[in-house]
Amino acid sequence: MLLVFLRAFSTLKIPGCNFGDLSSYSCPPPLLKIWAHSDKGPSPSPYVATPRALVQAAFCMAMFLYLSPSRPLSWFTDPAYQEWGFWRKLSYQYMSGFTMRWKYYFIWSISEAAMVISGLGFSGWTESSPPKPKWDRAKVVDILGFELAKSSVLLPLVLNIQVSTWLRHYVYERLVKKGKKPRFFQLLATQTVSAVWHGLYPGYIILLVQSALMIAGSRVIYQWEKAIPTNMALVKKAFAVMNFAYTVLVLNYSCVGFMLLSKHETPASYGSVYYIGTMIPIALIILGYIIPAKPASFKARKEQ
């Protein structure tokens, strides 16, 4: 099979490239162009970035092992859970989602370390003086950026970064007609494709459709915040805090679908907190049409 692949590869006809001699082809792939000698310094060593990724992986696994025993998923189906008060259920959903994420942070950190040590994580040089190597080609998650995200809109930019980039380029942007602004349909279609990519579990589909509502609701808060003039700094900060609290609430409510996966248990868990993480985004989307954000005056925008 390998010989068949190499023979097929050697017959590729690309203008300006010669793949006939696999030992010395004349059209280096993008990665080799990045690694090519430059005046910014010698070839960078991965032995600094790799330990950093491994330490992050070890910390993430330690967090998961510490938190997970006290927050088993079986409690969601335990009759005692249904007897808890609203706030206790909501806080348990938050802590369950927070605990579960450390497992994925660990896996992504290990994969990042593997890519970096192989050299495939190198993405070029910074513009600083002196230039420093960047190792974010294989970066999958920005943990602090995700946990402290000020808006739900930012979440795809800091979680599963490479997949989110692919979805944005090949699904989201292709569905937006030229000269038109993206609407909820494009967002929903992109998240549905992401759900199918993750797997045909009901919980994935529920979560990612729910995440489309979450992002759309966050956009409304952001548009209101952006429309407030700069001389009302306290009000702008209040809307920023509102968007952060909204993101924390709806994100961890939505994560239950990713954890349980079941078409019966996921809606039951949402219903146990009165579908608050679904109702709030829908209410915000409706309010966005009823009370559209008026853009600030030209003078205010110039000051911003």
Side-chain angles (χ1 to χ4, degrees), residues 10 18-26:
S10 66
N18 175 24
F19 293 102
D21 183 1
L22 293 176
S23 62
S24 59
Y25 46 82
S26 60

Side-chain angles (χ1 to χ4, degrees), residues 18-287:
N18 175 24
F19 293 102
D21 183 1
L22 293 176
S23 62
S24 59
Y25 46 82
S26 60
C27 183
L31 185 62
L32 293 186
K33 290 181 181 178
I34 291 172
W35 276 95
H37 176 75
S38 71
D39 56 1
K40 294 188 176 181
S43 298
S45 170
Y47 299 121
V48 175
T50 302
R52 188 184 303 122
L54 290 174
V55 168
Q56 177 176 292
F59 177 78
C60 293
M61 177 52 70
M63 285 291 292
F64 178 72
L65 293 175
Y66 174 74
L67 294 170
S68 58
S70 59
R71 294 165 185 88
L73 295 181
S74 59
W75 282 11
F76 281 107
T77 55
D78 194 307
Y81 171 82
Q82 301 301 327
E83 298 177 3
W84 292 356
F86 170 79
W87 292 109
R88 187 178 179 187
K89 289 177 183 175
L90 202 61
S91 63
Y92 186 74
Q93 288 186 358
Y94 168 78
M95 287 306 302
S96 296
F98 179 74
T99 300
M100 177 270 298
R101 287 195 292 275
W102 290 103
K103 174 174 62 176
Y104 294 98
Y105 293 159
F106 163 74
I107 295 168
W108 287 328
S109 299
I110 284 290
S111 68
E112 180 181 344
M115 292 290 284
V116 169
I117 194 67
S118 70
L120 297 176
F122 178 61
S123 59
W125 300 88
T126 65
E127 297 299 327
S128 61
S129 182
K132 296 180 180 179
K134 295 187 294 184
W135 296 94
D136 54 3
R137 177 180 285 269
K139 191 175 182 64
V140 183
V141 62
D142 176 358
I143 297 174
L144 286 178
F146 186 80
E147 294 297 336
L148 301 177
K150 297 178 181 179
S151 166
S152 302
V153 179
L154 300 175
L155 297 179
L157 304 178
V158 291
L159 183 76
N160 220 350
I161 297 170
Q162 309 305 328
V163 172
S164 296
T165 303
W166 187 93
L167 287 169
R168 181 177 185 85
H169 180 73
Y170 289 104
V171 182
Y172 185 77
E173 292 178 353
R174 290 190 177 194
L175 291 174
V176 180
K177 294 182 180 179
K178 190 174 182 179
K180 301 287 186 180
K181 291 183 177 181
R183 300 292 181 182
F184 181 71
F185 167 74
Q186 286 82 10
L187 181 59
L188 180 61
T190 304
Q191 295 303 91
T192 302
V193 171
S194 179
V196 174
W197 177 84
H198 277 82
L200 297 177
Y201 285 97
Y204 288 150
I205 297 172
I206 293 170
L207 161 69
L208 288 156
V209 171
Q210 165 72 27
S211 68
L213 293 172
M214 174 180 68
I215 294 171
S218 186
R219 281 179 177 171
V220 173
I221 301 175
Y222 175 72
Q223 291 297 331
W224 287 341
E225 178 190 347
K226 191 169 65 171
I228 297 169
T230 53
N231 58 357
M232 301 176 65
L234 191 60
V235 179
K236 287 182 78 72
K237 287 182 180 179
F239 272 93
V241 171
M242 182 194 304
N243 209 345
F244 172 75
Y246 164 88
T247 298
V248 171
L249 169 66
V250 183
L251 169 66
N252 290 284
Y253 162 93
S254 303
C255 278
V256 174
F258 196 91
M259 295 184 289
L260 298 180
L261 300 179
S262 168
K263 65 179 179 180
H264 301 296
E265 295 171 1
T266 300
S269 175
Y270 289 172
S272 70
V273 289
Y274 310 109
Y275 297 98
I276 186 172
T278 304
M279 294 297 104
I280 291 179
I282 291 174
L284 284 170
I285 294 169
I286 295 171
L287 282 172

